[in-house]
């Protein structure tokens, strides 16, 4: 029984440390300060990563733009949707998200 309690304490400590480590990691996109947070993300990346991030943002923007045009949405609605979609995401998460986006081959 003592062994189980020690394992629980160890697991709890590891989970808390993991949560703390993740909370102070890479900068994230902040929808309330989109331009500033985008620049903060860009300055934290290497040259290759910056290129990947810029490409990811363009790909996501293009896909959502095409979708918005098809749905008759306004530019303000498009921007609000993009900001909500990206809010709280790191560069790595945004790049991964863009890899799942399908854009017509004509635009690639």
């Amino acid at each position: 029984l003592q062994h189980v309690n020690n394992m629980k304490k160890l697991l709890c400590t590891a989970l808390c440390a993991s949560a703390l480590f993740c909370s102070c990691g890479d900068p994230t996109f902040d929808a309330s300060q989109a331009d500033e947070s985008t620049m903060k993300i860009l300055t934290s990346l290497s040259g290759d990563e910056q290129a990947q991030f810029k490409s990811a943002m363009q790909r996501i923007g293009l896909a959502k733009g095409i979708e918005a045009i098809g749905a008759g949405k306004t530019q303000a609605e498009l921007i609000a949707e993009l900001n909500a979609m990206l809010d709280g995401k790191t560069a790595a998460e945004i790049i991964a998200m863009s890899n799942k986006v399908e854009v017509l081959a004509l635009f690639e």
Side-chain angles (χ1 to χ4, degrees):
L1 189 59
Q2 181 66 24
H3 180 66
V4 172
N5 285 336
N6 287 341
M7 290 300 289
K8 286 182 183 178
K9 288 179 186 177
L10 180 62
L11 181 59
C12 182
T13 302
L15 289 173
C16 290
S18 175
L20 182 62
F21 177 73
C22 291
S23 68
C24 59
D26 297 332
T28 59
F29 183 86
D30 179 358
S32 67
Q33 299 178 338
D35 292 338
E36 294 85 357
S37 64
T38 300
M39 288 308 297
K40 187 181 282 188
I41 290 171
L42 279 169
T43 58
S44 73
L45 301 173
S46 71
D48 287 343
E49 291 169 329
Q50 285 181 359
Q52 287 178 337
F53 178 73
K54 288 177 184 178
S55 176
M57 292 291 279
Q58 290 171 347
R59 186 175 177 89
I60 291 169
L62 178 60
K64 289 301 280 183
I66 292 169
E67 180 183 303
I69 290 169
K73 295 181 181 176
T74 66
Q75 182 178 5
E77 290 172 322
L78 168 62
I79 291 170
E81 283 184 18
L82 279 169
N83 283 342
M85 187 171 125
L86 299 174
D87 194 40
K89 304 270 190 294
T90 64
E93 291 170 325
I94 292 171
I95 291 167
M97 184 186 301
S98 78
N99 290 334
K100 296 176 184 174
V101 171
E102 292 185 24
V103 179
L104 296 174
L106 180 66
F107 294 104
E108 293 187 334

